[in-house]
Amino acid sequence: AEYVTEVGAPFAITIIGGLGLSTLLTLVFIPTLNTGIHTSLKWIFRLDWEKQMLMALIMAGLGYLIAARIDSLVWKIIDFLLLIILTPAAFYFVMNSLRKANEKLIDESTSLQIRVRNLVKIYDRDSRFVREWKSGLNARKRLGLEKSYTGVRDFRYLAWLLPLIGFLMYFIYFYLEKGFWYFVLPIFLYMMLVSASNPLRLYTRQLDPVKYKWRTRFLKAFIWFVFWGMPLVILGLFYNKYKLIGLLIPSALIWYLVLAIIVTSDRLHRDQVNINRLTGRFKGFRKVFYRIALAIPLIGKKKTPFKALKGVSFNIEHGMFGLLGPNGAGKSTLMRIICGVLEPSYGQITINGIDTKSKREEIQGLIGYLPQEFGVYENLTAWEFLNYMGILKKIYNREQREARIEYVLNAVHMTSHKHEKLGSYSGGMKQRIGIAQILLHLPRILVVDEPTAGLDPRERIRFRNLLVELSRDRIVIFSTHIIEDVASSCNQVAVVRSGELVYLGAPVEMAHIAANKVWMADMGIDEFEEFSRKFVIIHHMRDADRIRVRFLAGECPFEGARNVKANLEDAYLCLLQNGMQPVPELINNGI
């Protein structure tokens, strides 16, 4: 007995630790290392021979120093491993850090073509490890291999888990002598107990509460005790041995606060509670607590993936390209991915065959991006502001910079206002200065997000004409939800709805989509209320006690309704209706 007491615990720890380490090596470290080595070798073989030679010389020189100056065999092995890993890593870091925007990446005489293929963007996406883990669980669910707990045989996993929990209890409470581990290891014991009780929770939900009344009550009480009662038992045992009440009280408060945050976060996500619409007692305190709970990583904050783009594909060539769609359709996301501000989740964007993801820094010299909301220094004049921006864009030669500023001010028709403060400009004039700013490095692609939003009709027409003027020798991509801007300026338009492309083609041909679907009718006021709930109303106008209605319908809805000629606005509303299938123009464009 004395021999077993002395040897048993260390022997068991050695066996369990060895098995655990072997499992991690086999399933995680070795596959990861193997993938990393293959990826590194492919990258090294793609380098120029000069870089390969320089890397080999550096490794040989450092290897000679290690072999000559270090006596210990262990440290030699460690240093050689670090040399093999860190030398290519340092080369990769330096080469990627030195990359910069290069407007000469594509010859100036070559016309540009942007190809977007199967573009998908998912916001708030899980990490790759979590996605791979969930994909395995989803695959088991699709194949019908998901674990279900309906009988005693389904709990056979306890055959190895219960002895492990029993050994951990013995190890902590009958073998350990150091107070630190006596305090820390019970936390892992508690996590194992909660994990073991989760299948019991699933089993309880499947039981008939009437037929198995007492079994259901007993299991629910046991699960509740494990989750809420075990912390008290663990902390009570710690206090019984060490009598540290000063450590016990804060530990209990923190432990139960963590549990409360976990339970609250799960309930808020499960029931999709809107915190801003809480009512009842202590709603102010509850709002604060709920927001704190949802903001804490790991235990409270949960990712809710949102797919902003769903497999979008199209081509963009010379001229004006309009992105049309309602707010939240994915227009800004698409434009930011084209500019390299965001990375796509899946899919590819190429400019003349160059992948914008792999050449992200180099391609920036070709693109000028004006977001929907941008800031200017309102205490500076237009000349001073553009001069400062020119320095930031590395136009260091003063004569070249001043000539470039004169050029962009002439391009946006703001030369006469160049010495006025930006704070005195109207909204349209500030938009022009924004365009002038992105023109400083002479980009061949202009991306402008909602440029006419908030402008009065006169300024909107001026700014629209400016974009058409700039599109003569470059690609101009701009997004809007104003039909008139697209109809009067774009030679190609894409309509995006809920992250999907529903139309791609010329604006003139877009009106044909709503052909024979636009109707006009006169009706009474009482009839209009019921009618507006069944059909999409384009517009209506009251005439005495009658209402003239223009609406969308697949066929004549009632006698007296007359079919009228469709315009671009009618086609746009028709495309935005749920259930509308992609139109033939998409197929004609090779998508």
Side-chain angles (χ1 to χ4, degrees), residues 110-402:
T110 306
S111 60
L112 298 181
Q113 184 185 51
I114 302 174
R115 293 169 60 90
V116 180
R117 288 292 172 266
N118 298 320
L119 201 64
V120 176
K121 179 60 181 177
I122 305 173
Y123 285 105
D124 210 11
R125 193 166 59 147
D126 292 321
S127 64
R128 183 171 181 178
F129 177 81
V130 175
R131 294 200 308 270
E132 293 293 340
W133 180 268
K134 288 184 177 179
S135 67
L137 297 177
N138 293 332
R140 290 178 61 85
K141 187 182 295 185
R142 288 195 303 270
L143 295 172
L145 301 176
E146 188 179 15
K147 188 68 175 175
S148 61
Y149 298 93
T150 56
V152 177
R153 291 185 177 181
D154 295 326
F155 292 91
R156 284 176 291 182
Y157 75 98
L158 294 175
W160 68 269
L161 188 57
L162 288 180
L164 183 60
I165 292 174
F167 169 76
L168 192 58
M169 287 181 176
Y170 163 77
F171 178 72
I172 294 171
Y173 295 110
F174 296 96
Y175 183 80
L176 280 180
E177 295 181 358
K178 291 188 176 181
F180 173 78
W181 292 111
Y182 197 88
F183 181 77
V184 172
L185 288 181
I187 298 174
F188 295 96
L189 174 62
Y190 172 76
M191 293 170 65
M192 291 181 65
L193 289 170
V194 171
S195 176
S197 66
N198 282 333
L200 292 177
R201 194 188 307 273
L202 298 175
Y203 174 67
T204 306
R205 291 173 184 171
Q206 298 174 2
L207 289 176
D208 186 350
V210 177
K211 185 177 179 180
Y212 301 101
K213 179 179 177 181
W214 293 107
R215 185 187 299 181
T216 305
R217 288 185 177 180
F218 172 77
L219 290 175
K220 286 183 177 180
F222 177 76
I223 294 168
W224 184 92
F225 172 75
V226 169
F227 191 80
W228 294 104
M230 280 304 297
L232 283 178
V233 174
I234 291 171
L235 293 173
L237 291 172
F238 178 79
Y239 175 75
N240 185 57
K241 186 170 184 178
Y242 292 99
K243 309 296 182 183
L244 295 175
I245 191 67
L247 177 63
L248 187 69
I249 294 176
S251 301
L253 291 175
I254 294 173
W255 199 327
Y256 278 101
L257 179 61
V258 168
L259 295 182
I261 289 173
I262 293 172
V263 172
T264 303
S265 175
D266 289 342
R267 184 178 64 83
L268 292 175
H269 283 93
R270 183 181 64 249
D271 300 339
Q272 297 182 349
V273 177
N274 188 340
I275 298 176
N276 297 318
R277 295 187 178 181
L278 288 177
T279 58
R281 288 185 171 183
F282 309 110
K283 64 179 182 180
F285 171 77
R286 286 158 56 207
K287 284 182 181 179
V288 172
F289 179 72
Y290 289 169
R291 288 195 178 99
I292 293 173
L294 294 177
I296 297 177
L298 298 178
I299 59 174
K301 187 176 181 179
K302 298 183 187 299
K303 293 184 177 181
T304 52
F306 169 71
K307 188 178 287 188
L309 293 175
K310 306 171 184 176
V312 174
S313 299
F314 55 82
N315 295 339
I316 304 175
E317 297 181 351
H318 188 82
M320 286 278 287
F321 183 88
L323 273 173
L324 196 59
N327 293 329
K331 304 188 299 297
S332 297
T333 298
L334 178 57
M335 301 179 85
R336 289 171 185 168
I337 294 175
I338 292 174
C339 294
V341 178
L342 297 176
E343 286 194 1
S345 302
Y346 305 101
Q348 185 185 50
I349 295 178
T350 59
I351 300 176
N352 285 28
I354 299 173
D355 189 351
T356 58
K357 189 174 181 181
S358 61
K359 298 286 185 180
R360 183 174 176 177
E361 287 81 8
E362 294 90 335
I363 215 77
Q364 294 303 308
L366 291 169
I367 300 174
Y369 174 51
L370 183 68
Q372 184 176 355
E373 296 180 1
F374 66 97
V376 295
Y377 299 110
E378 299 197 348
N379 59 325
L380 299 179
T381 64
W383 180 274
E384 292 169 341
F385 176 71
L386 293 175
N387 186 57
Y388 173 61
M389 289 297 165
I391 295 172
L392 293 182
K393 292 178 183 289
K394 299 182 180 180
I395 310 174
Y396 298 128
N397 185 283
R398 182 174 180 178
E399 293 180 359
Q400 182 187 4
R401 187 170 66 249
E402 290 180 352

Side-chain angles (χ1 to χ4, degrees), residues 13-27 29:
I13 293 169
T14 304
I15 296 298
I16 294 172
L19 291 174
L21 181 60
S22 300
T23 303
L24 288 175
L25 285 172
T26 305
L27 299 180
F29 293 123

